[in-house]
Structure formats: C-alpha cells, structure tokens
Amino acid sequence: MYAYDELDRTLLNERVEEFRDQVKRRLSGELTEDEFKMLRLQNGVYLQLHAYMFRVAIPYGTLSSQQLRRLAHVARRYDRGYGHFTTRQNIQFNWIKLAELPDALAALAEVGIHSMQTSGNNTRNVTSDQWAGVAPGEIEDPRIWSELLRQYTTLHPEFSFLPRKFKFAITASAHDRAAIKVHDIGLRLHKNAQGETGFEVLVGGGLGRTPFIAKTIKPFVHGRDLLSYVEAILRVYNQYGRRDNIYKARIKILVHELGIEKFAAEVEEEWRAMGDSALTLDDAVIEEVRSRFSYPIYEKLPHMPEELKKAAHDAVFERWRRNSVFTHKVQGYAIVTVSLKPVGGPPGDATADQMDAIAELADKYSFGEIRVGHEQNLALPHVAKRDLPALFKALEKIGLATPNVNLISDIIACPGLDYCSLANARSIPIAQELTRRFANPETAELIGRLHINISGCINACGHHHVGHIGILGVEKNGEEFYQITIGGRADENAELGVLIGPAVPFGEVADVIEDIVEAYLALRGRPDELFVDAVKRLGVEPFRERVYATR
Amino acid sequence: MTSPLEQKIRISGPSIVTANRTFDGAVIYRNASQGWSTDLSEAAIVRTVAEARALLAESVADDIGAVGAYIAPVEINDGGKIKPGNLRELIRLRGVTIELPVLA
C-alpha cells in the first residue's frame, strides 16, 4: 500500500471544498450547466440516462480494506447499494445525486480516494498490472513509477486541457495484464543490455472509433528520465493534436497521421531541448516514493501445506483453485482472483455488502489489501496457501466463488444502453445470456481461455476490439444489432479482432457465439490450442462460414 | 458544443422534450405549464418543428432546473396514452432492463 502524506491529504480536502462550492453555485444558478460541465467532468461526474454517474479512481488498482469499506459506504449511503468496476481500474456509481456528491467526495477523501481527472481532456487514472509487486519474474514493482506519474500528472497545469483524454498504463512483467498496447502511452519496465532498469515507451494505442495498437517510440528510457520523456510526448501532442475534430483528437490519430518516425523525431527534439531539467528524477525522489509503499511481512511457509492437500479431494474447490489461484513470488502464498462475473450477473458489479465482506476477507487473509484488474475482477494479492480452502468457503457464502476466471463467462462489458447516454445498444443482457449459455463449468474448462468483450457503442469501453471474441452494439433502424469480431487480444501480443460478417440482431448473439465456439472445438489442432491461437492459424473464414451458412 | 437551439430539428411524429433534473439527475419531461414532471403522461406533445423549437427553447431556458434538454419521439396509442418512441427513451422511462444487484 502507498501511504499518502500531508500534502496529498491537504490537496484532496481542498479539492472537495472547491467542488462543494462549485456544486452549490450550480444548484443556485450562479453557474450555468455550460460553465459547470467541465468542472464536474474533471471530478469524474457524468450525466447518464437515469442519473449522474460518479467515477472514482483506484490508482494502479490498489485498494486497502479501509478504502473498499468506504466505497461500500458510498454505495450504500449515496447510491443504490452497489458499484461497477470498470476496465480502467475505476469504480462507478450510477445513481448519485449532484447535491450529495460533495459529501460522498469528502467521505472518500478521508481514506485517500478521489475522482480527480477520471474524466475530461486531461491525463486519466494511471493504471497498472493488478498483480504488481507480487507477480513472479517481475522486473520491479511498477506501482512506484505509476505513483510518480500519478503525482506528476495530477492537476498538471500544462496538461489539464489537452486535445482529448490521455491514458497511461504500466507493466513490469513479460505477460502484459495491463493492456499497455491499447493506451495513449504504454510503459513496459525491462532491463537493457547493461542491466539497467528502464522503460520501453509505446505511444498511440487506443480503441474507440479508430483503433490502433501502440507503437514503440523508444525502446529504452532510463527511469530517471521517465517524466521528462513523457512530458516531451505530451508537449508534442498538446501542440499538434487536433482540437477541431473530437474524432481525430486522440494522440493515436496524430501518431498515425505523422507516422511514428516523424512523431518520434518531434519528441526527441523536444526532449533534447529540455535537457537536464527539474523533471529528471534523482534517486532520492524515487526512493522516497518507493519507501511510501509498504509490503507484507511474509511468513516462511511450505509450498504445499496440509490444508491444501486435504482440500484437493473436493472437486468444487479444486475447480475454483485451478482457475482463480495464481502463483505468487513468495513461496507458500498465492494471488487469488475474485470473479465479479456470476452466472446471470452484470459483469464487474459488486454490492456494498460484498465489498464489506471482501474487505473483511482481505483483512483476514491478504494483509488488508485488494487489487482491481482491468478485466473487472478483484484480486487478493497475498493469500497464504494454507488459507485457500477457508477463503473459498467464505467467497462461496457471498456469491463470489464463480470458477470462471479467464474462461468464456469471465466477460468484460461496458454498462451499455441500460445506463450510458452514449450507448446504441445494451451490453449487460448480452453478457448475462452468454454466462447462462456457458454456465456449465466443465464446458467452460473444455473451451479453455477465451475472453469475450462487449461494448454498447463504438467508444469501446468494453474493449471489444481486443476481445478474443468482440461484440459491438450498433443501432439499425431503431433496433439493436451486434457486430462480432474474433482474434483480438490485449496482452503483449495485442491485436485487433477481425469482423466476421454482417451484424446480427439482439436475440441471435448468443446463438452466434455458440456457433463460433462449436466451430473452434471442432477445428482446434489440439485440446490446449487456445481459441485466439486457432483463429490466428485458421483465419476468420471457417468461423464466418459456420455462423452465416444458415443465416 | 452546439447549443440544442442551434441544432437542426427533425421530427416525424408526436414528440416531447425531456431532460435530467439538475439536483439529482432524474429523468424529467417538459409539461404544458412551463414546468417539469417525472411522469411521461404529463409531457407536452408537439407535432411540428415550430412547436418543438418553442418547447425546446423554453426548456433550455430553465438552466437551473434541468440539464441537457432534447426532443424525443413518442407514440400515442388509441387511448391517448403516451409511450416512448425508441428503446433509449423506454429505458429512461422504465429504468434498466436488468435486475439491479440490490433491489431498490
């Protein structure tokens, strides 16, 4: 966990009071909606179909049990008793009242949580690998750098009015769990030939209307130069990014139109001109941030405790353990993913009672720490393996032991037309129907790893472009239709999915997905060939034929 | 952003003006008494572009009470009951089409 200092606390409290005054002036009519809109957006407040939506940042996906309890309190006291975890390590509340928002913000500020820059044309929440600090083989904890970036970008005056929103993601593992290649700037920690730690910097990734996979702009930037190099990128973007057309305003368009070489040359020139600036990080600053992260004092525990050996006879436990429990860097410990994808439930939603219960389990079994992943699940990052059977029982009791992590029913979905004012079609009912179709855990395991992503509009909050199967809702003559893509992926080998054919109506989507899965099972080269690998090998044609032969 | 009043108005049948209430975001409909109601049956119906423009203008003028006013299509059945004219408005009227995680 990162411990905020007095400066952070003062900043949050001042921000709450500033927003309280802005809300008061809006409600009295002193501020018009036109004047107020930018202010509310910069505090994560959108207006959706039914109500205001309040988006709260969970920087680099790390939460304390105290913070999760406070989110539960906000859900219960100011909303309708639940929250929705998003694909960018945020949580959204769907029914908040503007008049009560300052009190909700104040309650969150008490535990160091805020909603600053979770919307608007500024730098957004810095996201990272939800297994940061505990993943085996990690170069180092990427949250140190995420926190440095968070501090640097928060209320940065030069980057508060960018041409468009701007998102960072950081990973320090070979396997990318942070989807860095679909971010405006993706950062991959690695070591160079001299053994020094630094970053591969990728730029211009993004989804939405015009999707692009990020390109490497510089293979190695030393840690001390991270902020200055990032500032050089942001300056070039701020100068040349288009403000005349919202659809062409993201940095991905600029990189695409200039070409990565020319864009890189502009950045390099800007960076060289900056020289050794105040942005060059000295070791003391890095160490100061590093020292504010606290880590558990792990016990020396056996790799295979007796409790786990005994529980292995329980097939239900074993199924959950197989897909929810992952290797920890410390022997005797495990990382546990808590699926927020129950059969028939809205993906990523958690009730206030569940949040409180998870906080309690985190205190009991995970040193009081919870992580939030972009797949819209939670994780308990430090669970002693001997406690896994007890944790499983406790999760079962609160409906959070669905054994489907990384399987077909572990669906990423945006709120869609049920909540969102931008959406053209519903996402959640499609996800719910698919989880029912693939509810049998044996079938799901037989299918193996398969990520379905659903977006209710072209803005792609459900990251449909990079789903192994992507589902995009569109509107045709007042009816909901869905385009299906296959072969996308969001990891270190990120690719955009390929459209398989004409959009299908709402009522046929689940049938189409079943057809695609059946085709895969018939066509895969061997039982462990993943769906996405089969698509890579075979192309989309066999799947297209299967889906459209009888339609 | 273009003001709603500067946008081209197209209507192809009976329409209403809807918005969200400023203090809590609730869905509201402009009524014939220059006020707002959460009840669609109380919405003022317009049938021509001129009527729609006038209703929208007075709605937008109430910047304190409402946010984001716009014209939306409705259907009126034989009994005179007003129904939303598309899925988006149906969802705004009736709420989400899924069961909420916590019953309201």
Side-chain angles (χ1 to χ4, degrees), chain A residues 93 147 175 190 327 386 441 443 465:
Chain A
F93 298 104
E147 175 58 25
H175 178 53
H190 68 117
T327 306
R386 65 174 178 224
T443 307
H465 297 291

Side-chain angles (χ1 to χ4, degrees), chain A residues 13-268:
Chain A
N13 291 334
E14 286 177 356
R15 181 76 169 195
V16 170
E17 290 316 305
E18 181 185 58
F19 191 58
R20 190 183 296 282
D21 181 59
Q22 290 162 349
V23 168
K24 189 176 156 196
R25 287 190 288 144
R26 170 69 188 117
L27 292 173
S28 71
E30 196 181 328
L31 287 178
T32 66
E33 178 61 17
D34 278 350
E35 291 164 335
F36 180 67
K37 187 176 178 183
M38 182 72 77
L39 304 173
R40 70 169 160 82
L41 287 175
Q42 286 177 347
N43 286 284
V45 182
Y46 288 77
L47 186 61
Q48 296 287 42
L49 292 186
H50 313 282
Y52 291 97
M53 181 271 278
F54 178 37
R55 182 182 291 159
V56 177
I58 302 166
Y60 34 89
T62 297
L63 276 176
S64 68
S65 56
Q66 182 199 32
Q67 290 173 324
L68 186 56
R69 283 194 184 90
R70 193 56 62 93
L71 290 171
H73 165 74
V74 167
R76 199 176 277 123
R77 167 67 184 80
Y78 300 102
D79 208 82
R80 292 195 180 176
Y82 67 99
H84 173 75
F85 290 96
T86 77
T87 51
R88 288 210 75 258
Q89 296 178 326
N90 297 305
I91 184 170
Q92 294 178 174
F93 298 104
N94 293 299
W95 306 95
I96 211 105
K97 293 179 174 64
L98 182 61
E100 294 182 347
L101 256 166
D103 290 340
L105 268 175
L108 294 175
E110 284 175 4
V111 294
I113 311 182
H114 62 80
S115 60
M116 277 185 283
Q117 298 180 197
T118 56
S119 177
N121 294 336
N122 44 48
T123 48
R124 302 287 187 91
N125 186 32
V126 178
T127 59
S128 190
D129 183 352
Q130 69 270 29
W131 294 2
V134 292
E138 192 175 66
I139 299 290
E140 65 176 56
D141 190 339
R143 293 174 304 167
I144 313 296
W145 303 97
S146 307
E147 175 58 25
L148 277 159
L149 270 174
R150 187 195 69 78
Q151 293 182 13
Y152 154 72
T153 56
T154 299
L155 304 183
H156 192 305
E158 197 173 334
F159 307 130
S160 293
F161 296 92
L162 291 167
R164 196 75 180 90
K165 59 187 170 183
F166 202 95
K167 301 172 181 177
F168 291 90
I170 307 182
T171 186
S173 287
H175 178 53
D176 175 14
R177 281 171 291 269
I180 66 166
K181 290 189 174 179
V182 290
H183 279 75
D184 297 287
I185 288 182
L187 298 165
R188 184 179 71 85
L189 263 164
H190 68 117
K191 287 190 186 295
N192 65 8
Q194 289 72 46
E196 298 169 308
T197 301
F199 296 89
E200 177 188 1
V201 181
L202 298 100
V203 69
L207 299 173
R209 187 175 298 266
T210 317
F212 285 107
I213 300 296
K215 298 171 183 69
T216 299
I217 181 171
K218 205 166 179 67
F220 189 84
V221 171
H222 198 285
R224 65 174 171 263
D225 297 322
L226 176 66
L227 298 189
S228 61
Y229 192 74
V230 157
E231 176 138 333
I233 293 175
L234 277 159
R235 281 187 180 176
V236 171
Y237 170 53
N238 216 0
Q239 184 173 0
Y240 296 117
R242 288 181 61 172
R243 288 179 158 83
D244 63 321
N245 184 339
I246 190 173
Y247 303 120
K248 295 185 183 295
R250 295 287 292 268
I251 194 172
K252 61 188 175 183
I253 304 294
L254 180 65
V255 171
H256 176 69
E257 289 186 351
L258 279 182
I260 186 66
E261 292 80 11
K262 183 151 177 22
F263 183 82
E266 292 279 354
V267 170
E268 200 68 19

